[in-house]
Amino acid sequence: MGHITLHDVEQGSEAWHELRTGKYTGSNAYKLLGSFGATEYAQAIRNSFRGNFHTKRGHILENEAIELYEAIKTITVLRTGFVTNSKYPTCLYSPDGLAPAALLEVKCFDIPEHRKLIKGEIKLSILAQIHFGLLITEQPIAHLIAYNPSKELTAQEQFRIIEVKPNRNIQTNFKRILTAKEARHAIHT
């Protein structure tokens, strides 16, 4: 086990963006598993993207989703800016929440994408993000929360908790890739 540190920095703030610069993060974790090299990944994570209508809507709905989760599970969710793990010093992960023994990832998609998600059609980019988060936080499971409060959906469709267990193959690939990148980074510094 690594030493897990919670960093109390507001997600989306300038300080949060600055601290993420040059780090491997969950939002682009799928690029580590793909054909991107270290240079392409470094360029991607230095992107100046600060959000759009959909990401802003998602952040607003994320709070509602976490409140519903807390009410259903009768627990309090810990919210933090990001998490680091001493085993992976060039990585950080910004969870939507940490529940006792579970990582929380909230997705508030439009209706077509939301319906796919609640049917179990989870995109590789989301699975990579979750598995990266499980690796960094060392949580035993993740709860992927699908939330869309549209009146076009039934109450059962609006909110869904999907349990994601660690996938040994994905975890092993992340460890192999990050260890190689850590070694390369150490050689060049």
Side-chain angles (χ1 to χ4, degrees):
M1 282 184 83
H3 177 72
I4 308 299
T5 305
L6 306 179
H7 302 268
D8 191 23
V9 178
E10 182 183 344
Q11 286 192 17
S13 69
E14 285 303 316
W16 181 80
H17 283 288
E18 181 65 30
L19 291 166
R20 291 168 48 95
T21 300
K23 301 279 189 193
Y24 298 109
T25 66
S27 58
N28 286 317
Y30 69 98
K31 292 179 181 180
L32 283 171
L33 297 176
S35 60
F36 285 81
T39 303
E40 290 86 351
Y41 189 85
Q43 289 170 347
I45 62 177
R46 288 190 177 98
N47 188 329
S48 62
F49 178 73
R50 295 291 193 259
N52 57 28
F53 167 80
H54 298 290
T55 56
K56 289 175 184 161
R57 173 187 167 273
H59 287 299
I60 292 167
L61 293 177
E62 179 182 303
N63 291 327
E64 290 178 25
I66 296 287
E67 289 173 10
L68 284 169
Y69 181 89
E70 288 176 319
I72 291 166
K73 298 286 189 178
T74 63
I75 60 163
T76 300
V77 170
L78 177 65
R79 308 290 297 267
T80 187
F82 61 88
V83 178
T84 55
N85 184 324
S86 62
K87 286 168 45 178
Y88 309 102
T90 60
C91 301
L92 61 84
Y93 183 73
S94 298
D96 292 330
L98 295 168
L103 167 69
L104 302 183
E105 186 61 44
V106 180
K107 297 298 178 192
C108 302
F109 293 140
D110 61 13
I111 291 174
E113 287 301 311
H114 178 79
R115 283 194 167 126
K116 288 178 186 175
L117 186 59
I118 64 174
K119 288 180 184 174
E121 296 177 31
I122 305 172
K123 293 179 181 179
L124 175 61
S125 59
I126 295 170
L127 284 174
Q129 180 181 21
I130 290 169
H131 284 87
F132 185 86
L134 288 169
L135 181 71
I136 301 303
T137 64
E138 297 186 6
Q139 292 281 35
I141 61 166
H143 287 161
L144 172 57
I145 301 169
Y147 180 61
N148 183 323
S150 172
K151 291 181 176 30
E152 294 180 43
L153 300 167
T154 67
Q156 290 177 318
E157 290 176 313
Q158 291 176 358
F159 184 86
R160 186 78 48 94
I161 300 169
I162 304 162
E163 187 172 292
V164 180
K165 295 179 181 176
N167 178 301
R168 186 169 290 191
N169 291 332
I170 294 174
Q171 296 286 305
T172 299
N173 282 333
F174 272 134
K175 289 176 185 176
R176 179 182 50 76
I177 292 164
L178 291 171
T179 302
K181 290 187 183 304
E182 297 292 344
R184 250 184 272 133
H185 177 74
I187 291 169
H188 295 2
T189 56

